[in-house]
Amino acid sequence: MFTVHFAVTVAEARPTDFVFVTGSEEGLGSWDPTRALRLEPNEEGVFVGSVNLGDIKQLKFRYFLGYYLYHDATASSLIIRKWETHLSARCVLPAVEATKNGICRAKVNDVFGFHAGRQMLSDGWLIQDPTNAIHLTVTGEALKFYKSKHVCEKYRIKVTPMDLRNRDDTNPLDDDGDDTNDEPATPILSYSPTEIAVAGHNKPLGHDEPYYKLQNEFGEVFTNGTDYAMFRTYSVAVDYLGFKIEVFKATEDKLVAIGYALPSTLLNTYGKTSVPLLTTKGMPVGKIYLEYLFIRPIRTTNLTFSMDRSFIKHWKKRTTLEVGHRGMGNSYTQFAVARENTLHSLNRAAKHGADYVEFDVQLTKDRKPVIYHDFHVMVSVAKRSENEDKHAHQLAIKDLNMDQISLLHLDHVKHQGEGKDLENVTKVTPKALDEAADLQPFPTLEDALLYVDADVGFNVELKFPMIQADGIHECENYFEYNEFLDVILAAVFQNAKNRRIVFSSFCPDICMMIAAKQNKYPVLFLCCGSNTRHQVYQDIRTTTSLMAVNFAAASGILGVNFHSEDVLRDATPIAKAKQYGLISFVWGDELNNKDTVEYFKKVVGVDGVIYDRIGEMNPRASVFSLERAKKSELFGKKQPPSPVGGRANSAMHLFHRNSESNGTIEKFENDAYNVMNAYDKRHNGAVEWPIASKGPSRRRSPTAEDLERYFVASHGLIDGYMPRPLDTAARQA
């Protein structure tokens, strides 16, 4: 029997916070946060506790901060505010570390969030119904006043949640006289304090740092027409949830107006509303426009999340990953060797050495997640007369069920009209009825997870329509946000197994929601930035790359996927992303040029590049395959030297196996020779690629040591083989 002691210092615990520890044994809840051990503060303010365990070899554990919200006077739900998200949890070996009396860690004092030399904290996810995360946004010309004396450039806005069952003693207008029979004896704490982040084109979210923080007593400065203020709170009783909105002058603590956003004004889970503003005497003085979003937990049976392992902030610092765009590339409007977004295209990209493949997911009418890029297709309809041509009608994917998609003749929306050059593009519906199944369009997300090479990672782009800058909606009357995500996330978690996955979306709300609904996979915000080639959106968070960086940092997601056209003009947003510890990917047509890819990899130093026709002109092996081969060399049996051109060397064999040209081995040696020479010069080394004994110009086949040095040099590894994780520490609120 062992007794394990826990002691942790928490720098910024709030008065309502509790400190918990959960871990791999039942005494700590078996990674279930709702059954975790709650620690108590001692005289020094250190949170302590202990647990008795049987004869175990090791115990893994994590700390987290949480608090309780109450549905009514008795029932409550746990809210995880911050938790430690290091890839490897803390660990204790009782058999080794225990004293003679079986006591472990009696004199160890941990620091919350710091482990293995790094800080790693993340916001919690929604673990229980009826918990909701509520986001209110004030943006653009949000404040309208009827009298000019109230109009100014800057105000301060404060948003305070309230349970309508409670009495507001701070408001003199809330006076029901003797009618207090329905009021609870003790106010019900069904909501959390409001956090805020303010964005503008020339300042970061939260002013000094791009993170949510608690509001000031008199609100945060908001520049009307310029800023983007995001308010966040949590509630377990949304039917009774209201918001008091106070507007102050920016230069003094004087209340200008007050308004109330009640449940009757927030009709759906997301939308826009206007709230009347009144003076303290109850006279109308103006109004404020709000955008709102309610995020609820995933409502899928048998789908639970634990704290044992998470990748939401984990990213190994290795060479730039190369990602196959829609598999082997865009085939409907450009030339590609395979129909885009098909199982064949995704597998071919994997065979050509793609580290990840990127594809687009949306829902059909019968709520099946399918892989297709555009929101609409052209459906051909035959006329009554045989002499008349077929007519094509544009329909949304969301209005077609899977059977209809399989039976109808479909075409791309850009294939219609006179003068279209379709010679080098692929049709959506194949002409040959017997075309192989993996060549067919509209594969399901489940099929991709099951039948695409398990070694290749997935960049799953979630297609959710938005309002464009010209006022046109990409696809109206779409699915409700939560319903849309629940279906897709369920398909992933039920079929992904050990596959590497990162989510992305152009819709910033979708990015926030993915991070709030699950605690395993990371999220990238897809950004168009300031460009004219692609359609831009009304949402201010999408208008510039710097705004995208600020939003990603505030939301606590992994990083940003930048548009190459924008960051080729100005790479400052990528530098800012690195400053905030964010990951940077790049996408765009410019990356179909090899020199541009090399620029982003070697000069800018991004973490991923997404482009068409990966591995066609320059055969490559995936980073993960090379790492696996290297592990086999390092930890496997020591093999005798292989003959020149032999296959005993696993790394060379792997490179040869992934190529489709007879000169791959020779190319591999030449590349290795060039990289090693460059590596030795940078490190003042005098050793070049080994020269064979016969002839002054003939190089011998590389040995295992040579290949190890080549692998280290070409993949940017510093401390030997194992790459160092990038520090993407999220600051504690």
Side-chain angles (χ1 to χ4, degrees), residues 195-241:
E195 297 173 307
I196 183 173
V198 179
H201 289 288
N202 298 316
K203 63 184 178 183
L205 292 162
H207 302 290
D208 298 324
E209 292 181 335
Y211 308 106
Y212 277 98
K213 64 178 184 179
L214 292 175
Q215 299 178 105
N216 291 325
E217 181 182 359
F218 297 100
E220 296 290 338
V221 174
F222 175 79
T223 304
N224 207 29
T226 302
D227 286 345
Y228 190 102
M230 301 188 297
F231 300 88
R232 179 177 69 180
T233 190
Y234 296 85
S235 172
V236 294
V238 294
D239 291 340
Y240 301 101
L241 181 68

Side-chain angles (χ1 to χ4, degrees), residues 187-476:
I188 300 173
L189 186 61
S190 63
Y191 53 84
S192 67
T194 304
E195 297 173 307
I196 183 173
V198 179
H201 289 288
N202 298 316
K203 63 184 178 183
L205 292 162
H207 302 290
D208 298 324
E209 292 181 335
Y211 308 106
Y212 277 98
K213 64 178 184 179
L214 292 175
Q215 299 178 105
N216 291 325
E217 181 182 359
F218 297 100
E220 296 290 338
V221 174
F222 175 79
T223 304
N224 207 29
T226 302
D227 286 345
Y228 190 102
M230 301 188 297
F231 300 88
R232 179 177 69 180
T233 190
Y234 296 85
S235 172
V236 294
V238 294
D239 291 340
Y240 301 101
L241 181 68
F243 292 95
K244 179 171 66 175
I245 303 165
E246 298 170 287
V247 181
F248 302 86
K249 284 189 175 181
T251 55
E252 55 184 292
D253 302 336
K254 180 180 179 181
L255 183 64
V256 176
I258 187 170
Y260 292 90
L262 304 178
S264 59
T265 64
L266 311 177
L267 298 178
N268 301 304
T269 56
Y270 63 97
K272 296 181 179 180
T273 188
S274 62
V275 175
L277 294 175
L278 310 174
T279 65
T280 55
K281 296 182 179 179
M283 296 298 295
V285 68
K287 57 183 174 180
I288 183 171
Y289 293 92
L290 301 172
E291 298 176 7
Y292 59 92
L293 172 67
F294 286 73
I295 310 174
R296 57 167 172 74
I298 293 180
R299 291 177 179 171
T300 302
T301 56
N302 302 322
L303 187 59
T304 58
F305 305 102
S306 66
M307 283 187 167
D308 58 339
R309 205 172 191 196
S310 173
F311 303 96
I312 57 175
K313 286 294 182 64
H314 177 72
W315 195 262
K316 283 187 178 180
K317 189 60 178 177
R318 43 164 72 92
T319 185
T320 302
L321 297 184
E322 299 190 30
V323 184
H325 180 228
R326 307 184 198 177
M328 285 303 293
N330 178 0
S331 68
Y332 295 143
T333 59
Q334 298 179 22
F335 172 71
V337 295
R339 182 181 287 110
E340 67 181 60
N341 280 332
T342 59
L343 299 182
H344 172 74
S345 184
L346 299 175
N347 272 317
R348 182 156 182 164
K351 183 179 179 181
H352 278 67
D355 303 312
Y356 275 69
V357 287
E358 181 271 349
F359 54 82
D360 313 274
V361 176
Q362 54 185 304
L363 295 185
T364 61
K365 185 177 181 179
D366 48 353
R367 290 165 176 74
K368 303 292 184 183
V370 295
I371 299 175
Y372 190 75
H373 177 267
D374 296 87
F375 290 109
H376 298 85
V377 289
M378 303 303 295
V379 180
S380 297
V381 180
K383 285 298 197 71
R384 292 184 177 181
S385 172
E386 295 182 359
N387 297 326
E388 292 181 287
D389 294 333
K390 292 182 178 180
H391 279 194
H393 298 272
Q394 181 172 295
L395 291 178
I397 300 296
K398 74 174 184 67
D399 294 326
L400 297 169
N401 59 42
M402 281 299 296
D403 289 340
Q404 292 170 329
I405 287 175
S406 302
L407 294 174
L408 293 173
H409 181 87
L410 307 176
D411 211 344
H412 194 271
V413 291
K414 292 187 177 180
H415 290 181
Q416 304 300 313
E418 297 180 359
K420 296 288 185 181
D421 181 13
L422 306 179
E423 184 177 349
N424 292 323
V425 299
T426 306
K427 305 292 284 184
V428 176
T429 300
K431 293 182 179 179
L433 298 178
D434 58 347
E435 192 167 330
D438 66 338
L439 297 172
Q440 298 289 333
F442 303 102
T444 65
L445 175 58
E446 180 180 353
D447 283 346
L449 290 164
L450 294 177
Y451 302 122
V452 173
D453 187 340
D455 288 335
V456 70
F458 279 3
N459 176 186
V460 182
E461 180 188 338
L462 302 183
K463 302 288 292 185
F464 200 91
M466 301 170 63
I467 300 176
Q468 299 171 161
D470 56 10
I472 298 176
H473 201 292
E474 289 184 304
C475 187
E476 293 183 329

